[in-house]
Amino acid sequence: MVRKKILDAIVLSSTFGEEIEFIVNFLDSVILNCSKIKEYYLVQPVLVFELKEKEKCRKIREIFSKKDFPIKPLLLINKNSRGFPACLNYGIANTNSEFILRLDTDDRLEEDRIKKQLDFMKKFSLDMSSGNMNDLSGKELRYPTNRFGLSLVTALGACPIAHPSICIRRYIFNPYNEKLNRCEDVELWIRLFISEGFKWRGLDSSLTKYSIKRASEKSGENALYQIKIRASYSLRLIFASFILILGIFPNLIRIFDSNNLLLNLRRRF
């Protein structure tokens, strides 16, 4: 694919097999938000379809070709693989932008979100930021803004980052694990937050209008996937910690061993 001019950001989404009218309404909403800040940032909605929905993609392209919008959505068809994480990875691999914002098709951007979050990312030179969300009744769903809160929420078994609120620099973005059908975001957060030098801060304001319907429907399945992911990383980290801590004791001996017995022993191997 020929890549276009580098954008400031993309708003990345994939579909759950929704009807055409639903998707068009979603894209109309995102385009409106992007258009309002085009004097400050060039941002484009990017929506990725699976190959089986190529006809739906074609019809939506036709609809937007007739709309007089200053910004057009980029509609991609993932011809390589299937699944939600795979579609997100395809969208990332086939676009250019400095930043990536995530949004699901049943959620909506708060009116000032894009500019506020991009300003925030640049002001503090962050790798990623996130924030709160409002449900459709107007109730604010609050999320951590610092590492302590992040650790506390994680320890309580919840997801500490609202994925429809994130903005992340492209160069730091590790691909989603395509083997996961659920909680691919949780697994990505773990990988990022245990990496060295990762810079994140949360905004203490609502960035997304969030629909709780899907989250409620898949709550049990998400819990099962979270258990598997947490157990997998815990075992890896415990094993690594054991090895690192065990290595402290020989080094303590070396401090007081003027004959360098351990160092001479090491050189024999």
Side-chain angles (χ1 to χ4, degrees):
M1 176 177 291
V2 177
R3 297 192 176 184
K4 298 182 179 180
K5 175 184 175 182
I6 294 179
L7 304 168
D8 291 302
I10 61 170
V11 179
L12 177 65
S13 309
S14 185
T15 71
F16 287 89
E18 300 95 342
E19 297 297 323
I20 289 177
E21 183 179 0
F22 182 94
I23 295 174
V24 170
N25 289 337
F26 166 75
L27 290 171
D28 281 346
S29 173
V30 177
I31 289 171
L32 179 62
N33 278 269
C34 295
S35 300
K36 287 181 177 179
I37 63 163
K38 60 185 176 63
E39 294 181 7
Y40 303 97
Y41 295 109
L42 184 58
V43 184
Q44 184 179 34
V46 176
L47 185 63
V48 187
F49 296 80
E50 287 192 343
L51 182 59
K52 64 182 179 181
E53 291 199 303
K54 65 179 181 180
E55 181 61 21
K56 184 187 294 184
C57 180
R58 184 192 67 77
K59 290 179 180 178
I60 295 173
R61 278 199 185 114
E62 186 176 342
I63 290 171
F64 279 95
S65 69
K66 298 175 182 177
K67 288 178 177 278
D68 186 22
F69 285 164
I71 294 171
K72 299 289 186 181
L74 176 60
L75 307 179
L76 301 174
I77 299 174
N78 180 8
K79 301 176 183 179
N80 298 339
S81 51
R82 297 175 58 187
F84 194 69
C87 286
L88 295 176
N89 286 339
Y90 188 88
I92 293 166
N94 289 277
T95 55
N96 276 343
S97 64
E98 184 178 357
F99 299 98
I100 299 166
L101 293 95
R102 273 280 292 116
L103 195 69
D104 290 334
T105 50
D106 58 342
D107 301 322
R108 296 292 182 268
L109 296 162
E110 291 288 0
E111 186 173 350
D112 61 347
R113 170 184 170 177
I114 300 178
K115 185 176 184 304
K116 178 192 289 185
Q117 197 164 18
L118 293 180
D119 286 346
F120 187 75
M121 292 286 293
K122 291 190 172 185
K123 178 180 179 180
F124 296 104
S125 300
L126 300 175
D127 297 318
M128 188 176 85
S129 65
S130 54
N132 302 331
M133 303 193 295
N134 284 330
D135 66 20
L136 299 184
S137 69
K139 180 181 178 181
E140 188 174 29
L141 309 173
R142 299 182 63 82
Y143 286 83
T145 59
N146 54 50
R147 293 269 180 168
F148 175 78
L150 189 85
S151 301
L152 180 60
V153 173
T154 303
L156 292 173
C159 179
I161 302 291
H163 74 263
S165 77
I166 73 154
C167 177
I168 188 168
R169 288 186 186 269
R170 177 176 292 272
Y171 74 83
I172 203 74
F173 199 107
N174 289 318
Y176 285 107
N177 185 341
E178 297 186 11
K179 295 180 180 179
L180 295 174
N181 295 320
R182 292 281 187 270
C183 296
E184 68 280 349
D185 293 286
V186 175
E187 194 272 342
L188 177 60
W189 309 152
I190 294 173
R191 275 191 280 136
L192 290 175
F193 280 104
I194 63 176
S195 61
E196 185 178 354
F198 182 70
K199 295 178 65 177
W200 161 86
R201 284 181 67 170
L203 287 85
D204 191 17
S205 59
S206 180
L207 304 178
T208 308
K209 296 175 183 175
Y210 178 64
S211 172
I212 64 172
K213 185 175 183 294
R214 283 183 185 152
S216 299
E217 290 174 350
K218 59 187 182 182
S219 177
E221 192 172 357
N222 281 347
L224 180 60
Y225 270 85
Q226 272 220 43
I227 291 171
K228 292 178 179 178
I229 292 167
R230 287 168 180 263
S232 173
Y233 273 93
S234 295
L235 289 173
R236 287 184 234 174
L237 293 173
I238 288 172
F239 182 68
S241 297
F242 174 76
I243 292 174
L244 292 171
I245 291 172
L246 193 63
I248 290 174
F249 298 101
N251 280 285
L252 287 173
I253 295 173
R254 289 174 60 191
I255 292 173
F256 301 102
D257 179 17
S258 59
N259 294 320
N260 291 323
L261 293 177
L262 289 178
L263 191 58
N264 290 330
L265 182 64
R266 168 66 183 88
R267 288 171 179 167
R268 292 176 177 270
F269 293 95

